[in-house]
Amino acid sequence: MRHEQMEVWQRSKQLSVEVYRELKGLRDFGFKDQITRSALSIPSNIAEGFERFTEKEKFRFVSIAKGSCGEFATQAIIGIEVGYIPEPIGQRWRQEAMLLSRMLGSLLNSLSHSPHK
């Protein structure tokens, strides 16, 4: 299966697009860079993992994507608290990140039981 066909990649790509659009005008470039990079890291690492040759490499990059979900969810909470992200948007992003994390956890579980590992 190609990564573009996977729901977890499609949803994480859409989340990244939303983050870039919402924060386009944010002047705190340090925060903006960090949160957009963590959001972008999720679909990017899924894609990179699925382009690798071994199941071990695929597992590693999907695991990095899962870690980026936690990083992004934390940054969304901080963004709400400092007033950069409207609470309804930030909470929706955080919930989506946690859903993506669960989806990636399931994918990692299936990869760890793959006979090709």
Side-chain angles (χ1 to χ4, degrees):
M1 176 183 288
R2 297 276 311 151
H3 64 270
E4 297 98 335
Q5 299 170 305
M6 300 173 61
E7 181 183 0
V8 69
W9 181 84
Q10 292 170 1
R11 291 180 78 128
S12 62
K13 186 256 317 165
Q14 186 56 43
L15 176 62
S16 185
V17 168
E18 287 178 28
V19 171
Y20 272 88
R21 287 181 178 156
E22 179 67 29
L23 300 179
K24 184 169 58 173
L26 183 62
R27 310 250 329 136
D28 182 336
F29 299 113
F31 180 82
K32 182 165 91 172
D33 180 62
Q34 191 69 33
I35 194 169
T36 54
R37 285 172 49 133
S38 64
L40 184 61
S41 176
I42 303 167
S44 298
N45 277 293
I46 294 167
E48 186 166 356
F50 275 79
E51 290 295 323
R52 295 294 177 143
F53 288 110
T54 67
E55 293 297 307
K56 184 177 181 180
E57 288 179 302
K58 186 182 293 184
F59 186 94
R60 179 172 160 255
F61 281 95
V62 172
S63 180
I64 292 168
K66 185 174 178 2
S68 294
C69 288
E71 180 183 3
F72 174 78
T74 296
Q75 292 162 355
I77 292 167
I78 293 167
I80 291 167
E81 291 186 15
V82 298
Y84 291 163
I85 302 169
E87 186 163 356
I89 292 171
Q91 290 297 344
R92 183 170 45 80
W93 288 353
R94 185 181 165 283
Q95 290 169 357
E96 183 68 7
M98 294 297 90
L99 173 64
L100 292 169
S101 181
R102 288 191 299 277
M103 292 172 79
L104 290 168
S106 294
L107 178 56
L108 287 166
N109 189 42
S110 69
L111 290 172
S112 69
H113 293 100
S114 172
H116 300 111
K117 190 161 187 201

mmCIF file of all heavy atoms in Angstrom, residues 1-14 46 96 99-100 103:
data_model
loop_
_atom_site.group_PDB
_atom_site.id
_atom_site.type_symbol
_atom_site.label_atom_id
_atom_site.label_comp_id
_atom_site.label_asym_id
_atom_site.label_seq_id
_atom_site.Cartn_x
_atom_site.Cartn_y
_atom_site.Cartn_z
ATOM 1 N N MET A 1 0.848 -1.194 0.000
ATOM 2 C CA MET A 1 0.000 0.000 0.000
ATOM 3 C C MET A 1 0.888 1.250 0.000
ATOM 4 O O MET A 1 1.861 1.330 0.728
ATOM 5 C CB MET A 1 -0.910 0.000 1.237
ATOM 6 C CG MET A 1 -1.746 1.265 1.347
ATOM 7 S SD MET A 1 -2.784 1.372 2.821
ATOM 8 C CE MET A 1 -4.020 0.170 2.460
ATOM 9 N N ARG A 2 0.520 2.207 -0.799
ATOM 10 C CA ARG A 2 1.215 3.484 -0.841
ATOM 11 C C ARG A 2 0.765 4.341 0.347
ATOM 12 O O ARG A 2 -0.379 4.274 0.774
ATOM 13 C CB ARG A 2 0.899 4.235 -2.142
ATOM 14 C CG ARG A 2 1.338 3.551 -3.396
ATOM 15 C CD ARG A 2 2.758 3.768 -3.782
ATOM 16 N NE ARG A 2 3.096 5.189 -3.746
ATOM 17 C CZ ARG A 2 4.308 5.634 -3.493
ATOM 18 N NH1 ARG A 2 5.283 4.797 -3.269
ATOM 19 N NH2 ARG A 2 4.566 6.920 -3.480
ATOM 20 N N HIS A 3 1.680 5.159 0.852
ATOM 21 C CA HIS A 3 1.344 5.973 2.023
ATOM 22 C C HIS A 3 0.196 6.936 1.738
ATOM 23 O O HIS A 3 -0.599 7.220 2.624
ATOM 24 C CB HIS A 3 2.583 6.717 2.538
ATOM 25 C CG HIS A 3 3.145 7.717 1.595
ATOM 26 N ND1 HIS A 3 4.105 7.395 0.664
ATOM 27 C CD2 HIS A 3 2.875 9.028 1.429
ATOM 28 C CE1 HIS A 3 4.401 8.468 -0.032
ATOM 29 N NE2 HIS A 3 3.679 9.473 0.408
ATOM 30 N N GLU A 4 0.078 7.414 0.506
ATOM 31 C CA GLU A 4 -0.994 8.362 0.167
ATOM 32 C C GLU A 4 -2.389 7.753 0.304
ATOM 33 O O GLU A 4 -3.372 8.468 0.422
ATOM 34 C CB GLU A 4 -0.843 8.890 -1.267
ATOM 35 C CG GLU A 4 0.411 9.673 -1.511
ATOM 36 C CD GLU A 4 1.498 8.822 -2.154
ATOM 37 O OE1 GLU A 4 1.492 7.578 -2.004
ATOM 38 O OE2 GLU A 4 2.390 9.419 -2.786
ATOM 39 N N GLN A 5 -2.460 6.443 0.274
ATOM 40 C CA GLN A 5 -3.744 5.743 0.386
ATOM 41 C C GLN A 5 -4.166 5.530 1.838
ATOM 42 O O GLN A 5 -5.314 5.178 2.098
ATOM 43 C CB GLN A 5 -3.665 4.383 -0.320
ATOM 44 C CG GLN A 5 -3.370 4.496 -1.798
ATOM 45 C CD GLN A 5 -3.052 3.143 -2.395
ATOM 46 O OE1 GLN A 5 -2.159 2.437 -1.937
ATOM 47 N NE2 GLN A 5 -3.807 2.779 -3.420
ATOM 48 N N MET A 6 -3.263 5.737 2.757
ATOM 49 C CA MET A 6 -3.539 5.455 4.161
ATOM 50 C C MET A 6 -4.288 6.615 4.813
ATOM 51 O O MET A 6 -3.898 7.783 4.665
ATOM 52 C CB MET A 6 -2.229 5.193 4.902
ATOM 53 C CG MET A 6 -1.461 4.012 4.351
ATOM 54 S SD MET A 6 0.164 3.854 5.101
ATOM 55 C CE MET A 6 -0.295 3.630 6.806
ATOM 56 N N GLU A 7 -5.317 6.287 5.560
ATOM 57 C CA GLU A 7 -6.093 7.327 6.250
ATOM 58 C C GLU A 7 -5.222 8.139 7.198
ATOM 59 O O GLU A 7 -5.364 9.371 7.280
ATOM 60 C CB GLU A 7 -7.259 6.705 7.011
ATOM 61 C CG GLU A 7 -8.100 7.741 7.724
ATOM 62 C CD GLU A 7 -9.233 7.156 8.552
ATOM 63 O OE1 GLU A 7 -9.392 5.921 8.601
ATOM 64 O OE2 GLU A 7 -9.957 7.960 9.164
ATOM 65 N N VAL A 8 -4.296 7.495 7.894
ATOM 66 C CA VAL A 8 -3.460 8.210 8.861
ATOM 67 C C VAL A 8 -2.590 9.246 8.151
ATOM 68 O O VAL A 8 -2.382 10.348 8.673
ATOM 69 C CB VAL A 8 -2.633 7.231 9.735
ATOM 70 C CG1 VAL A 8 -1.554 6.509 8.936
ATOM 71 C CG2 VAL A 8 -2.037 7.945 10.934
ATOM 72 N N TRP A 9 -2.092 8.926 6.967
ATOM 73 C CA TRP A 9 -1.297 9.904 6.213
ATOM 74 C C TRP A 9 -2.188 11.042 5.719
ATOM 75 O O TRP A 9 -1.830 12.213 5.833
ATOM 76 C CB TRP A 9 -0.571 9.245 5.032
ATOM 77 C CG TRP A 9 0.251 10.243 4.278
ATOM 78 C CD1 TRP A 9 1.513 10.653 4.574
ATOM 79 C CD2 TRP A 9 -0.163 11.010 3.142
ATOM 80 N NE1 TRP A 9 1.920 11.620 3.675
ATOM 81 C CE2 TRP A 9 0.909 11.856 2.784
ATOM 82 C CE3 TRP A 9 -1.328 11.061 2.384
ATOM 83 C CZ2 TRP A 9 0.852 12.733 1.704
ATOM 84 C CZ3 TRP A 9 -1.401 11.934 1.303
ATOM 85 C CH2 TRP A 9 -0.311 12.760 0.986
ATOM 86 N N GLN A 10 -3.352 10.696 5.176
ATOM 87 C CA GLN A 10 -4.262 11.723 4.654
ATOM 88 C C GLN A 10 -4.689 12.694 5.745
ATOM 89 O O GLN A 10 -4.693 13.911 5.546
ATOM 90 C CB GLN A 10 -5.493 11.066 4.016
ATOM 91 C CG GLN A 10 -5.175 10.296 2.757
ATOM 92 C CD GLN A 10 -6.338 9.457 2.267
ATOM 93 O OE1 GLN A 10 -7.414 9.445 2.847
ATOM 94 N NE2 GLN A 10 -6.115 8.733 1.183
ATOM 95 N N ARG A 11 -5.043 12.164 6.906
ATOM 96 C CA ARG A 11 -5.481 13.012 8.011
ATOM 97 C C ARG A 11 -4.349 13.867 8.554
ATOM 98 O O ARG A 11 -4.535 15.041 8.872
ATOM 99 C CB ARG A 11 -6.072 12.154 9.133
ATOM 100 C CG ARG A 11 -7.395 11.516 8.756
ATOM 101 C CD ARG A 11 -7.929 10.694 9.900
ATOM 102 N NE ARG A 11 -8.521 11.593 10.879
ATOM 103 C CZ ARG A 11 -9.744 11.461 11.368
ATOM 104 N NH1 ARG A 11 -10.513 10.467 10.977
ATOM 105 N NH2 ARG A 11 -10.197 12.311 12.253
ATOM 106 N N SER A 12 -3.154 13.286 8.659
ATOM 107 C CA SER A 12 -2.026 14.056 9.183
ATOM 108 C C SER A 12 -1.588 15.121 8.181
ATOM 109 O O SER A 12 -1.201 16.228 8.582
ATOM 110 C CB SER A 12 -0.865 13.138 9.566
ATOM 111 O OG SER A 12 -0.362 12.415 8.465
ATOM 112 N N LYS A 13 -1.674 14.835 6.915
ATOM 113 C CA LYS A 13 -1.358 15.838 5.895
ATOM 114 C C LYS A 13 -2.340 16.996 5.981
ATOM 115 O O LYS A 13 -1.962 18.167 5.949
ATOM 116 C CB LYS A 13 -1.396 15.203 4.499
ATOM 117 C CG LYS A 13 -0.948 16.107 3.367
ATOM 118 C CD LYS A 13 -2.049 16.670 2.502
ATOM 119 C CE LYS A 13 -3.136 15.725 2.115
ATOM 120 N NZ LYS A 13 -4.315 16.455 1.587
ATOM 121 N N GLN A 14 -3.624 16.682 6.159
ATOM 122 C CA GLN A 14 -4.643 17.731 6.270
ATOM 123 C C GLN A 14 -4.435 18.571 7.530
ATOM 124 O O GLN A 14 -4.586 19.790 7.502
ATOM 125 C CB GLN A 14 -6.052 17.121 6.260
ATOM 126 C CG GLN A 14 -7.158 18.148 6.221
ATOM 127 C CD GLN A 14 -7.041 19.104 5.042
ATOM 128 O OE1 GLN A 14 -6.763 18.698 3.922
ATOM 129 N NE2 GLN A 14 -7.235 20.393 5.286
ATOM 130 N N ILE A 46 5.773 9.399 7.956
ATOM 131 C CA ILE A 46 5.006 8.252 7.447
ATOM 132 C C ILE A 46 5.447 7.977 6.010
ATOM 133 O O ILE A 46 5.753 6.838 5.639
ATOM 134 C CB ILE A 46 3.489 8.514 7.515
ATOM 135 C CG1 ILE A 46 3.023 8.627 8.964
ATOM 136 C CG2 ILE A 46 2.719 7.403 6.787
ATOM 137 C CD1 ILE A 46 1.613 9.180 9.127
ATOM 138 N N GLU A 96 -7.155 15.611 17.297
ATOM 139 C CA GLU A 96 -6.747 14.948 16.047
ATOM 140 C C GLU A 96 -5.360 14.336 16.201
ATOM 141 O O GLU A 96 -5.121 13.213 15.752
ATOM 142 C CB GLU A 96 -6.784 15.939 14.880
ATOM 143 C CG GLU A 96 -6.446 15.336 13.534
ATOM 144 C CD GLU A 96 -7.476 14.353 12.988
ATOM 145 O OE1 GLU A 96 -8.571 14.198 13.577
ATOM 146 O OE2 GLU A 96 -7.188 13.730 11.959
ATOM 147 N N LEU A 99 -5.705 11.160 18.128
ATOM 148 C CA LEU A 99 -6.280 10.116 17.270
ATOM 149 C C LEU A 99 -5.207 9.576 16.322
ATOM 150 O O LEU A 99 -5.069 8.357 16.152
ATOM 151 C CB LEU A 99 -7.471 10.661 16.479
ATOM 152 C CG LEU A 99 -8.037 9.709 15.423
ATOM 153 C CD1 LEU A 99 -8.606 8.454 16.062
ATOM 154 C CD2 LEU A 99 -9.091 10.412 14.586
ATOM 155 N N LEU A 100 -4.441 10.466 15.718
ATOM 156 C CA LEU A 100 -3.369 10.039 14.829
ATOM 157 C C LEU A 100 -2.350 9.193 15.585
ATOM 158 O O LEU A 100 -1.853 8.188 15.057
ATOM 159 C CB LEU A 100 -2.679 11.256 14.199
ATOM 160 C CG LEU A 100 -3.515 12.062 13.207
ATOM 161 C CD1 LEU A 100 -2.829 13.378 12.872
ATOM 162 C CD2 LEU A 100 -3.806 11.261 11.956
ATOM 163 N N MET A 103 -3.748 5.772 15.895
ATOM 164 C CA MET A 103 -3.691 5.096 14.595
ATOM 165 C C MET A 103 -2.263 4.637 14.300
ATOM 166 O O MET A 103 -2.055 3.511 13.816
ATOM 167 C CB MET A 103 -4.190 6.035 13.488
ATOM 168 C CG MET A 103 -5.661 6.354 13.573
ATOM 169 S SD MET A 103 -6.168 7.651 12.401
ATOM 170 C CE MET A 103 -6.274 6.686 10.887
#
